[in-house]
Amino acid sequence: MAPRRLTPEELQAARDLTVPDVVASGLSVLFCGINPGLMSAATGHHFARPGNRFWPVLHLSGFTPRRLAPSEQHELLSYGLGVTNVVARATARADELGDEEYREGGRLLTAKVRLLRPRWLAVVGITAYRAAFGDRKAATGPQERTIGGTRVWVLPNPSGLNAHWTARTMAEEYARLRRAATEDPSP
């Protein structure tokens, strides 16, 4: 059954709300979005906008045995996966976030990673990673940066607006991370 379509008023009421993290200590991979969109904040589910490719790509890349719905986000934990955001507050578009919000988000994310100690932090969006961590030259893929014993990987943003990455090419990049996380399970 398809989720109920939200009204424009319901979406606007979700502005500046937050979506709870789906996390646990010692995850294999902690995925980190930029910030929740209004659909995510209104539903309480990460990557909830229908055009977002996170859930299909997670499955295509082999992280999950089937395509999960956003409402099934807590099943990620059973696969050693979690999800959070660089900036907690919901906006209609990521360009509504300021540089200081990204930097503060990077500081808070660093503290969260040090506490939870996932093996990999996977930031989904090169622009968000660059802004949050002040690394203007970062490229997609594994980074030199570590946070404690956690290694960092930058993945393409799964938003439908990121048209130069197809679901297939995105899944290939996500699968590279999956293989790295599987081949080297040590923290």
Side-chain angles (χ1 to χ4, degrees), residues 53-116:
R53 298 172 290 180
F54 178 77
W55 298 104
V57 165
L58 214 57
H59 171 61
L60 290 171
S61 66
F63 272 110
T64 60
R66 66 178 179 84
R67 180 177 171 176
L68 299 176
S71 61
E72 298 175 299
Q73 64 188 9
H74 286 282
E75 287 189 33
L76 289 174
L77 297 173
S78 69
Y79 304 117
L81 309 173
V83 64
T84 187
N85 289 290
V86 173
V87 176
R89 80 177 181 96
T91 60
R93 297 178 322 277
D95 65 6
E96 295 177 39
L97 302 173
D99 290 341
E100 183 50 40
E101 280 183 285
Y102 276 116
R103 285 189 295 274
E104 177 63 13
R107 288 188 286 272
L108 293 172
L109 180 58
T110 297
K112 189 177 300 184
V113 168
R114 287 187 189 284
L115 176 68
L116 297 172

Side-chain angles (χ1 to χ4, degrees), residues 96-167:
E96 295 177 39
L97 302 173
D99 290 341
E100 183 50 40
E101 280 183 285
Y102 276 116
R103 285 189 295 274
E104 177 63 13
R107 288 188 286 272
L108 293 172
L109 180 58
T110 297
K112 189 177 300 184
V113 168
R114 287 187 189 284
L115 176 68
L116 297 172
R117 297 178 19 226
R119 289 192 294 265
W120 287 93
L121 169 66
V123 179
V124 294
I126 190 73
T127 303
Y129 177 79
R130 289 175 177 166
F133 293 101
D135 187 349
R136 300 288 177 211
K137 295 181 181 183
T140 302
Q143 306 300 303
E144 289 185 26
R145 170 187 309 274
T146 58
I147 301 172
T150 299
R151 296 164 73 188
V152 179
W153 196 294
V154 176
L155 293 167
N157 184 336
S159 166
L161 300 174
N162 188 5
H164 66 277
W165 284 87
T166 67

Side-chain angles (χ1 to χ4, degrees), residues 10-20 35-42 87-93 96-98 101:
E10 288 172 312
L11 290 173
Q12 283 307 311
R15 186 174 291 281
D16 297 326
L17 296 179
T18 61
V19 177
N35 77 307
L38 299 181
M39 179 77 69
S40 289
V87 176
R89 80 177 181 96
T91 60
R93 297 178 322 277
E96 295 177 39
L97 302 173
E101 280 183 285

Side-chain angles (χ1 to χ4, degrees), residues 37-49:
L38 299 181
M39 179 77 69
S40 289
T43 63
H45 305 128
H46 292 272
F47 301 104
R49 182 169 273 312

